[in-house]
Amino acid sequence: MAAPMNWCSRVGLWKQICVDRSFASRMLPTFNKQTRTFPFRYLSNSAKQNPLKTKWRRVVWATGAAVTGTVVAAFLSFDRWRVYADNVTRPSVKVTRRIQIDTDSSGLKLTLFQYQTCPFCCKTRAFLDYYGFSYDVVEVNSVFRTELKWTKYRKVPVLVCDGVGEDGFLQINDSSVIISFLESHLIDPHLPLDVLLSYYPCLETKEGRKTVYEFLNKYFVMFPEKEATKTTSAERSKERKWRQWTDDVLVHVLSPNIYRSPSEALQSFNYFSEVGDWDNVFSTAERMTVIYVGSAAMLIIGWMLKKKYHLKDDVRQSLYDAGNEWTAAVGQDKFLGGDKPNLADLSVYGTLHAIEGCEAFEDLLNNTQIGRWYFRTKEAVTSHAGANMKITD
């Protein structure tokens, strides 16, 4: 019988799992279609010769299953002890940082509840930054989500607008609703905000324990009839089409790519920690939990999403296909919106900005022609190029 592994050997094994992608891929069990089982008890010729390798293969998978089970159990139990309120006062939470734009004359007091690298939050920020809104940011802990305990809506982003409505604030959910809502307000600032929000009703349905939210009209910008002459019906339809494409296609190829392997998953979460300033936002224990538990869970979720959305065996190819599809839609113009970004440009840019520091993003730039459009849009967003187009009279 082989001698038990010492701690140095164990550390070396885990390091090899995280760094060597080919080693990690060899540890994945393959489904046997004939016996309809996973071959956890099957020993190949090499495994028979090296029983210690098989033993630690099982240990690794047992550990992964335990971690995943713990995460799932935590989320399921979280619903049981959460206290929701239908009528709440202004949420009292710690503001992570403040985005102050001196040229902002909207008069809106906005607070964005977000994950820094969530694609939906990134495209919301792209819109806010392009139009030069000032707003506060509340970084939500992606595991415990205690910052959202004041609302039954558990997703991000959530935008809170103070000083409006019967309760003294408005809660706007869903990134596409937030963008359409604020764009509509810029076009017609005289329409009361609570009335405007009523144009985007939410339908709630239950799928088992899961609550599904469907927001009507979320890709539609509301404007007075006189404003319809500034854009054609075809232009508005094209903008809506690609905004929906962003949510239905582009966003679904991101997770399987940035969590393609254990090493990429860990690298992605370390990048998220850096850009999200998790060192100052969360305690050390919270940060380490989010990084290591989150990367392990998202690695498995990434594999599930690959199958769910029928991505190619090499998920990078699906990412390149999406990039090429968007580049072809923009064509020879600066932006899909022509000389300036429209809402589809901002949505696609914001979604891709979520992975800018990941290996998948570098591969996308190197294997498609999307880079020129991307950095052109980034310049427009970071310079608040749309600020002088806001209507505030």
Side-chain angles (χ1 to χ4, degrees):
M1 180 180 294
M5 298 182 70
N6 57 33
W7 281 107
C8 292
S9 299
R10 296 177 185 178
V11 171
L13 177 66
W14 282 106
K15 182 178 179 181
Q16 189 176 10
I17 293 172
C18 293
V19 175
D20 186 352
R21 183 181 306 160
S22 62
F23 177 83
S25 65
R26 293 197 300 271
M27 300 186 69
L28 298 177
T30 304
F31 186 70
N32 189 319
K33 295 183 179 179
Q34 295 180 346
T35 63
R36 303 187 65 80
T37 59
F38 284 98
F40 286 106
R41 297 186 179 181
Y42 172 75
L43 296 179
S44 64
N45 291 332
S46 61
K48 290 177 181 178
Q49 297 172 6
N50 188 359
L52 185 61
K53 177 180 178 181
T54 302
K55 172 186 175 182
W56 279 101
R57 181 179 296 181
R58 292 173 178 172
V59 169
V60 169
W61 276 100
T63 302
V67 170
T68 303
T70 301
V71 173
V72 172
F75 276 111
L76 291 178
S77 61
F78 192 62
D79 263 342
R80 298 178 181 272
W81 53 262
R82 276 178 73 98
V83 177
Y84 296 127
D86 291 328
N87 296 309
V88 295
T89 58
R90 169 67 170 86
S92 178
V93 292
K94 177 183 177 182
V95 173
T96 306
R97 65 181 181 276
R98 301 183 188 277
I99 309 300
Q100 185 64 43
I101 308 299
D102 294 336
T103 57
D104 179 22
S105 57
S106 66
L108 300 180
K109 176 67 171 65
L110 303 175
T111 302
L112 180 66
F113 292 76
Q114 64 151 31
Y115 305 148
Q116 178 65 20
T117 50
C118 161
F120 301 106
C121 299
C122 287
K123 71 186 178 86
T124 301
R125 291 200 314 273
F127 175 89
L128 293 172
D129 293 341
Y130 175 73
Y131 281 111
F133 284 100
S134 297
Y135 58 98
D136 294 342
V137 173
V138 174
E139 192 68 20
V140 177
N141 184 305
S142 59
V143 174
F144 302 107
R145 288 180 276 189
T146 53
E147 294 80 4
L148 291 175
K149 66 182 181 180
W150 54 275
T151 174
K152 66 179 182 179
Y153 186 77
R154 298 187 58 192
K155 298 182 178 182
V156 291
V158 171
L159 186 71
V160 171
C161 182
D162 279 318
V164 182
E166 296 180 356
D167 297 323
F169 73 97
L170 283 184
Q171 175 184 341
I172 307 106
N173 305 324
D174 188 90
S175 60
S176 294
V177 173
I178 293 171
I179 291 173
S180 296
F181 172 84
L182 289 177
E183 178 80 358
S184 301
H185 173 67
L186 295 179
I187 294 174
D188 185 11
H190 304 294
L191 181 67
L193 291 176
D194 50 351
V195 175
L196 177 59
L197 186 59
S198 69
Y199 297 162
Y200 301 95
C202 176
L203 301 179
E204 295 186 24
T205 58
K206 282 286 187 180
E207 293 183 1
R209 291 177 55 87
K210 181 181 179 181
T211 302
V212 178
Y213 300 93
E214 179 64 29
F215 295 90
L216 304 182
N217 305 323
K218 66 179 181 179
Y219 298 113
F220 284 82
V221 176
M222 309 298 176
F223 46 79
E225 185 175 352
K226 64 180 180 180
E227 296 291 335
T229 58
K230 295 185 178 181
T231 56
T232 67
S233 176
E235 290 172 338
R236 294 192 294 272
S237 178
K238 184 179 181 180
E239 181 182 65
R240 289 194 298 269
K241 169 190 171 182
W242 287 100
R243 289 181 65 193
Q244 185 169 357
W245 175 86
T246 305
D247 292 347
D248 293 346
V249 177
L250 179 61
V251 75
H252 295 311
V253 304
L254 299 189
S255 291
N257 272 277
I258 64 176
Y259 307 123
R260 187 176 57 160
S261 66
S263 60
E264 283 192 76
L266 190 58
Q267 184 265 338
S268 296
F269 267 84
N270 281 318
Y271 164 69
F272 299 159
S273 175
E274 178 183 349
V275 298
D277 196 23
W278 289 0
D279 284 333
N280 296 321
V281 174
F282 306 130
S283 67
T284 300
E286 287 179 320
R287 184 173 64 85
M288 298 302 289
T289 298
V290 172
I291 290 176
Y292 288 99
V293 175
S295 60
M298 291 307 299
L299 176 65
I300 297 174
I301 292 174
W303 293 334
M304 295 170 60
L305 292 176
K306 173 185 175 181
K307 180 178 181 180
K308 178 178 179 181
Y309 295 108
H310 309 290
L311 304 186
K312 294 182 176 179
D313 290 338
D314 181 359
V315 291
R316 281 291 195 273
Q317 295 302 320
S318 295
L319 180 63
Y320 301 156
D321 289 346
N324 289 330
E325 189 176 359
W326 171 253
T327 303
V330 175
Q332 299 300 316
D333 294 330
K334 290 184 177 180
F335 307 100
L336 188 75
D339 292 333
K340 61 179 183 292
N342 64 10
L343 299 185
D345 287 291
L346 297 176
S347 295
V348 174
Y349 162 77
T351 299
L352 291 177
H353 182 64
I355 65 168
E356 187 173 316
C358 299
E359 181 179 328
F361 182 78
E362 291 299 320
D363 289 345
L364 177 65
L365 294 183
N366 293 331
N367 290 275
T368 69
Q369 301 298 317
I370 203 172
R372 293 181 62 186
W373 166 87
Y374 179 85
F375 290 107
R376 187 184 299 125
T377 309
K378 184 175 183 177
E379 172 62 25
V381 170
T382 55
S383 65
H384 317 299
N388 60 351
M389 292 183 287
K390 292 196 299 183
I391 303 173
T392 57
D393 59 330

